[in-house]
Amino acid sequence: MRCPYCKTDDDKVIDTRTGDEGLAIRRRRECLHCGRRYTTHERLEESPIKVTKKDGRVESFDRKKIVAGIARALRKRPLSSEEIENLSDSVEREIFEQNDRQVASSLIGETIMRHLHQVDPVAYVRFASVYREFSQVSEFIDEIRALAGADTAAKTV
Ligand SMILES: [Zn+2]
């Protein structure tokens, strides 16, 4: 690693830590030339998890797609981009914890839905309508009824 201060490529690692739920490695380095210290971050470039699509195609797990899906569902809802990131983190963590190498895209969709359900019912119905490909108004109504029902059930407990 080239020192950001004196540009000499001669350093030693003085500390290594994993961060970001084990998806990133942080190294504290010391330049052997000027003695200054700096930090580098290493991130997995290729996710170890593969996603199986409905049509059988397989692609690499892509966090950006989760963030995009969640952000789309939460458009104009009162949640900050930080909250969207946190939500994406929880979804990602759950998927990584429960799946080793391969995960069905439908399971990712269900996981996102479950998390959205907890934070914003409107976003949840939005996401579900796209994800489950609602083609009829009645499907919307069923979903909203189910939501309202779950709400009442929760309140009576
Ligand atoms: Zn240096």
Side-chain angles (χ1 to χ4, degrees):
M1 194 61 64
R2 249 154 75 105
C3 169
Y5 304 103
C6 72
K7 313 290 179 204
T8 307
D9 187 4
D10 193 11
D11 68 286
K12 70 170 180 196
V13 174
I14 49 179
D15 187 31
T16 301
R17 271 172 211 208
T18 50
D20 215 359
E21 306 296 331
L23 297 175
I25 295 173
R26 186 179 162 278
R27 288 189 212 280
R28 193 84 184 127
R29 296 170 186 269
E30 186 180 301
C31 174
L32 293 176
H33 181 72
C34 71
R36 283 183 173 105
R37 292 179 174 190
Y38 54 97
T39 307
T40 55
H41 298 268
E42 257 170 55
R43 215 160 236 295
L44 276 175
E45 195 161 324
E46 233 154 319
S47 157
I49 288 192
K50 297 282 177 197
V51 179
T52 329
K53 316 268 286 180
K54 267 190 238 163
D55 60 10
R57 276 183 302 133
V58 174
E59 51 183 50
S60 294
F61 177 87
D62 186 357
R63 176 194 160 86
K64 275 180 256 146
K65 287 188 181 164
I66 291 181
V67 179
I70 290 175
R72 213 179 303 125
L74 283 167
R75 250 189 90 209
K76 300 200 175 161
R77 299 300 298 159
L79 272 91
S80 67
S81 53
E82 198 190 329
E83 285 170 302
I84 292 173
E85 283 292 331
N86 290 341
L87 196 56
S88 307
D89 283 346
S90 321
V91 169
E92 193 178 30
R93 202 176 310 137
E94 190 177 313
I95 291 166
F96 278 39
E97 269 167 16
Q98 294 174 0
N99 302 274
D100 203 13
R101 302 231 148 111
Q102 201 133 331
V103 59
S105 60
S106 57
L107 199 135
I108 297 180
E110 298 292 334
T111 308
I112 294 175
M113 269 197 274
R114 203 157 11 82
H115 285 259
L116 281 176
H117 190 244
Q118 286 166 8
V119 296
D120 191 301
V122 173
Y124 164 73
V125 174
R126 265 189 203 159
F127 187 88
S129 71
V130 175
Y131 179 72
R132 293 209 175 123
E133 296 164 354
F134 289 178
S135 51
Q136 298 190 345
V137 179
S138 63
E139 291 178 280
F140 254 113
I141 295 171
D142 286 347
E143 196 62 52
I144 289 163
R145 271 217 186 105
L147 255 182
D151 243 27
T152 331
K155 269 171 205 153
T156 46
V157 170

